[in-house]
Amino acid sequence: MLISIPGVLTVEEVIRARNSLEGATWADGRRSAGYLSQAVKNNEQLPDDDPIARDLGEIILTALQNNAPFTSAALPLKVLPPLFNRYSGGQFYGGHIDGAVRPIAGSPHQVRTDLSATLFLSDPESYDGGELIVKDTLGERGTKLSAGDMVLYPGTSVHRIEPVTRGVRLSAFFWIQSMVRDNAQRSMLFELDSVIQRLATDVPKHAALVELAGIYHNLLRFWADT
Ligand code: NI
Protein backbone atom coordinates (compact mmCIF):
# COMPACT_ATOMS: atom_id res chain seq x y z
CA MET A 1 0.00 0.00 0.00
CA LEU A 2 1.21 3.48 -0.90
CA ILE A 3 0.23 6.16 1.59
CA SER A 4 0.55 9.88 0.86
CA ILE A 5 0.96 12.16 3.84
CA PRO A 6 0.38 15.81 2.91
CA GLY A 7 2.08 18.78 4.53
CA VAL A 8 4.78 17.01 6.55
CA LEU A 9 6.85 20.18 6.22
CA THR A 10 5.48 23.72 6.18
CA VAL A 11 6.05 26.02 3.21
CA GLU A 12 8.72 27.88 5.24
CA GLU A 13 10.53 24.63 6.10
CA VAL A 14 10.50 23.54 2.45
CA ILE A 15 11.98 26.88 1.34
CA ARG A 16 14.64 26.68 4.04
CA ALA A 17 15.49 23.12 2.95
CA ARG A 18 15.74 24.08 -0.71
CA ASN A 19 17.93 27.10 0.07
CA SER A 20 20.33 25.01 2.16
CA LEU A 21 20.47 22.24 -0.45
CA GLU A 22 21.27 24.73 -3.21
CA GLY A 23 24.58 25.51 -1.52
CA ALA A 24 25.37 21.89 -0.63
CA THR A 25 28.24 19.80 -1.99
CA TRP A 26 26.66 16.81 -3.71
CA ALA A 27 28.36 13.46 -4.23
CA ASP A 28 27.79 10.72 -6.80
CA GLY A 29 24.81 8.64 -5.58
CA ARG A 30 26.56 5.43 -6.69
CA ARG A 31 28.91 5.71 -3.72
CA SER A 32 26.16 4.64 -1.33
CA ALA A 33 24.51 2.01 -3.56
CA GLY A 34 24.79 -1.76 -3.25
CA TYR A 35 26.39 -3.77 -6.02
CA LEU A 36 23.19 -4.43 -8.03
CA SER A 37 21.81 -0.90 -7.59
CA GLN A 38 25.06 0.76 -8.68
CA ALA A 39 24.43 -0.31 -12.26
CA VAL A 40 21.09 1.53 -12.42
CA LYS A 41 21.68 4.49 -10.08
CA ASN A 42 22.41 7.86 -11.66
CA ASN A 43 21.82 10.73 -9.25
CA GLU A 44 23.53 12.88 -6.66
CA GLN A 45 23.32 12.50 -2.93
CA LEU A 46 24.50 14.32 0.19
CA PRO A 47 26.96 12.30 2.28
CA ASP A 48 25.35 10.96 5.55
CA ASP A 49 27.58 13.13 7.70
CA ASP A 50 27.03 16.37 5.78
CA PRO A 51 26.00 19.06 8.33
CA ILE A 52 23.20 20.26 6.01
CA ALA A 53 21.79 16.72 5.84
CA ARG A 54 21.95 16.41 9.63
CA ASP A 55 20.30 19.78 10.22
CA LEU A 56 17.47 19.23 7.72
CA GLY A 57 17.09 15.62 8.86
CA GLU A 58 16.41 16.84 12.42
CA ILE A 59 13.69 19.19 11.14
CA ILE A 60 12.01 16.30 9.33
CA LEU A 61 12.26 13.90 12.28
CA THR A 62 10.81 16.54 14.61
CA ALA A 63 7.93 17.18 12.20
CA LEU A 64 7.20 13.45 12.03
CA GLN A 65 7.03 13.09 15.80
CA ASN A 66 3.89 15.24 15.80
CA ASN A 67 2.36 13.82 12.62
CA ALA A 68 -0.63 11.57 13.50
CA PRO A 69 -1.17 10.09 9.99
CA PHE A 70 2.51 9.09 9.84
CA THR A 71 2.35 7.44 13.26
CA SER A 72 -0.85 5.59 12.36
CA ALA A 73 0.45 4.41 8.97
CA ALA A 74 4.02 3.50 9.91
CA LEU A 75 3.73 2.54 13.60
CA PRO A 76 7.41 3.52 13.78
CA LEU A 77 9.88 1.80 16.07
CA LYS A 78 13.09 3.24 14.58
CA VAL A 79 13.54 5.90 11.90
CA LEU A 80 16.82 6.27 10.02
CA PRO A 81 18.17 9.81 9.72
CA PRO A 82 16.89 11.26 6.42
CA LEU A 83 19.20 11.42 3.39
CA PHE A 84 18.90 13.83 0.47
CA ASN A 85 19.16 13.38 -3.27
CA ARG A 86 19.08 15.46 -6.41
CA TYR A 87 18.17 14.54 -9.99
CA SER A 88 18.62 16.78 -13.05
CA GLY A 89 19.77 16.61 -16.68
CA GLY A 90 18.13 13.24 -17.43
CA GLN A 91 19.28 11.54 -14.22
CA PHE A 92 17.24 8.58 -12.98
CA TYR A 93 17.34 5.56 -10.69
CA GLY A 94 16.34 2.34 -12.43
CA GLY A 95 14.35 -0.53 -10.88
CA HIS A 96 15.86 -1.74 -7.62
CA ILE A 97 15.01 -2.93 -4.16
CA ASP A 98 16.36 -1.23 -1.04
CA GLY A 99 18.63 -3.23 1.26
CA ALA A 100 16.65 -4.98 4.04
CA VAL A 101 18.86 -3.88 6.92
CA ARG A 102 20.77 -0.61 7.08
CA PRO A 103 23.31 0.61 9.61
CA ILE A 104 22.75 3.91 11.41
CA ALA A 105 25.84 5.91 10.40
CA GLY A 106 28.21 6.52 13.29
CA SER A 107 26.49 4.04 15.62
CA PRO A 108 26.55 0.26 16.14
CA HIS A 109 22.77 0.08 15.52
CA GLN A 110 20.86 -1.15 12.50
CA VAL A 111 17.34 -0.63 11.17
CA ARG A 112 15.18 -3.13 9.29
CA THR A 113 13.71 -1.24 6.34
CA ASP A 114 10.02 -2.20 6.62
CA LEU A 115 8.92 1.08 5.03
CA SER A 116 10.57 3.50 2.63
CA ALA A 117 9.69 7.19 2.69
CA THR A 118 10.21 9.93 0.10
CA LEU A 119 9.59 13.53 1.07
CA PHE A 120 9.29 15.75 -1.99
CA LEU A 121 11.07 19.12 -1.75
CA SER A 122 10.72 20.55 -5.28
CA ASP A 123 7.48 21.93 -6.70
CA PRO A 124 6.18 19.35 -9.20
CA GLU A 125 5.69 22.09 -11.84
CA SER A 126 9.38 22.99 -11.65
CA TYR A 127 10.60 19.71 -13.21
CA ASP A 128 9.52 17.11 -15.76
CA GLY A 129 9.76 13.38 -15.06
CA GLY A 130 11.07 12.22 -11.70
CA GLU A 131 8.00 10.17 -10.78
CA LEU A 132 8.59 7.53 -8.12
CA ILE A 133 7.23 4.31 -9.63
CA VAL A 134 6.43 1.57 -7.13
CA LYS A 135 5.49 -1.93 -8.22
CA ASP A 136 2.97 -3.74 -6.04
CA THR A 137 0.43 -6.53 -6.46
CA LEU A 138 -1.87 -4.21 -8.45
CA GLY A 139 0.87 -3.24 -10.93
CA GLU A 140 2.91 -0.05 -11.13
CA ARG A 141 1.92 3.25 -9.56
CA GLY A 142 3.56 6.60 -10.18
CA THR A 143 3.82 9.28 -7.51
CA LYS A 144 4.89 12.91 -7.80
CA LEU A 145 3.73 14.99 -4.87
CA SER A 146 3.71 18.66 -3.88
CA ALA A 147 6.73 20.04 -2.04
CA GLY A 148 6.44 19.16 1.66
CA ASP A 149 4.33 16.02 1.04
CA MET A 150 5.61 12.52 1.72
CA VAL A 151 4.87 9.05 0.37
CA LEU A 152 5.31 5.85 2.37
CA TYR A 153 5.63 2.51 0.59
CA PRO A 154 6.61 -1.01 1.63
CA GLY A 155 10.36 -1.67 1.68
CA THR A 156 9.59 -4.96 -0.03
CA SER A 157 8.64 -3.22 -3.33
CA VAL A 158 10.75 -2.89 -6.48
CA HIS A 159 10.76 0.82 -7.37
CA ARG A 160 12.47 3.37 -9.62
CA ILE A 161 12.74 7.08 -10.34
CA GLU A 162 11.91 8.18 -13.87
CA PRO A 163 14.47 10.39 -15.69
CA VAL A 164 14.26 14.10 -14.78
CA THR A 165 14.25 15.76 -18.20
CA ARG A 166 13.75 19.39 -17.09
CA GLY A 167 14.54 21.24 -13.87
CA VAL A 168 15.78 19.76 -10.61
CA ARG A 169 14.12 17.22 -8.34
CA LEU A 170 15.19 17.45 -4.70
CA SER A 171 13.92 15.04 -2.09
CA ALA A 172 14.61 13.52 1.29
CA PHE A 173 14.40 9.77 1.64
CA PHE A 174 14.69 7.44 4.59
CA TRP A 175 13.56 4.15 6.06
CA ILE A 176 11.46 3.09 8.99
CA GLN A 177 11.47 -0.06 11.09
CA SER A 178 7.88 -0.55 12.14
CA MET A 179 6.61 -2.13 15.35
CA VAL A 180 4.55 -4.31 12.95
CA ARG A 181 6.86 -5.82 10.33
CA ASP A 182 4.13 -7.45 8.20
CA ASN A 183 2.71 -5.11 5.52
CA ALA A 184 -0.77 -6.69 5.54
CA GLN A 185 -1.13 -6.50 9.33
CA ARG A 186 0.15 -2.91 9.37
CA SER A 187 -2.25 -1.92 6.56
CA MET A 188 -5.21 -3.44 8.43
CA LEU A 189 -4.32 -1.52 11.58
CA PHE A 190 -4.06 1.69 9.57
CA GLU A 191 -7.47 1.13 7.97
CA LEU A 192 -9.04 0.24 11.30
CA ASP A 193 -7.58 3.33 12.94
CA SER A 194 -8.84 5.51 10.06
CA VAL A 195 -12.36 4.07 10.45
CA ILE A 196 -12.29 4.69 14.22
CA GLN A 197 -11.20 8.30 13.63
CA ARG A 198 -14.08 8.80 11.17
CA LEU A 199 -16.65 7.34 13.55
CA ALA A 200 -15.24 9.37 16.45
CA THR A 201 -15.96 12.49 14.38
CA ASP A 202 -19.39 11.46 13.05
CA VAL A 203 -20.89 9.64 16.08
CA PRO A 204 -18.61 10.65 18.95
CA LYS A 205 -20.85 9.30 21.73
CA HIS A 206 -21.48 5.84 20.27
CA ALA A 207 -20.76 3.19 22.94
CA ALA A 208 -19.26 0.75 20.40
CA LEU A 209 -16.38 3.16 19.74
CA VAL A 210 -14.63 2.17 22.95
CA GLU A 211 -14.92 -1.50 22.05
CA LEU A 212 -13.67 -0.86 18.53
CA ALA A 213 -10.69 1.06 19.93
CA GLY A 214 -10.15 -1.92 22.25
CA ILE A 215 -9.97 -4.27 19.25
CA TYR A 216 -7.41 -1.97 17.59
CA HIS A 217 -5.19 -1.96 20.66
CA ASN A 218 -5.53 -5.69 21.25
CA LEU A 219 -4.49 -6.42 17.66
CA LEU A 220 -1.57 -4.04 18.06
CA ARG A 221 -0.63 -5.84 21.28
CA PHE A 222 -0.62 -9.18 19.38
CA TRP A 223 1.47 -7.92 16.50
CA ALA A 224 3.75 -5.21 17.86
CA ASP A 225 7.41 -5.67 18.72
CA THR A 226 8.90 -2.89 20.80
NI1 NI B 1 15.23 2.86 -3.39
Side-chain angles (χ1 to χ4, degrees), residues 28-131:
D28 187 334
R30 272 176 284 242
R31 285 200 344 204
S32 61
Y35 138 85
L36 273 179
S37 300
Q38 270 187 6
V40 293
K41 190 173 185 183
N42 175 16
N43 69 359
E44 292 174 297
Q45 200 168 307
L46 279 194
D48 301 4
D49 57 354
D50 188 293
I52 294 175
R54 295 227 168 151
D55 176 42
L56 297 178
E58 276 305 313
I59 293 173
I60 294 170
L61 293 179
T62 303
L64 288 175
Q65 274 169 12
N66 305 311
N67 188 302
F70 169 73
T71 304
S72 175
L75 296 168
L77 179 61
K78 297 183 207 170
V79 183
L80 272 165
L83 298 171
F84 296 84
N85 60 21
R86 181 182 196 273
Y87 294 80
S88 63
Q91 287 181 314
F92 62 92
Y93 195 167
H96 68 279
I97 191 134
D98 299 337
V101 177
R102 294 190 69 100
I104 299 181
S107 91
H109 304 291
Q110 305 193 95
V111 169
R112 191 183 62 227
T113 58
D114 296 325
L115 287 154
S116 299
T118 296
L119 173 50
F120 291 77
L121 294 170
S122 299
D123 284 320
E125 299 77 29
S126 70
Y127 63 99
D128 288 335
E131 291 84 1

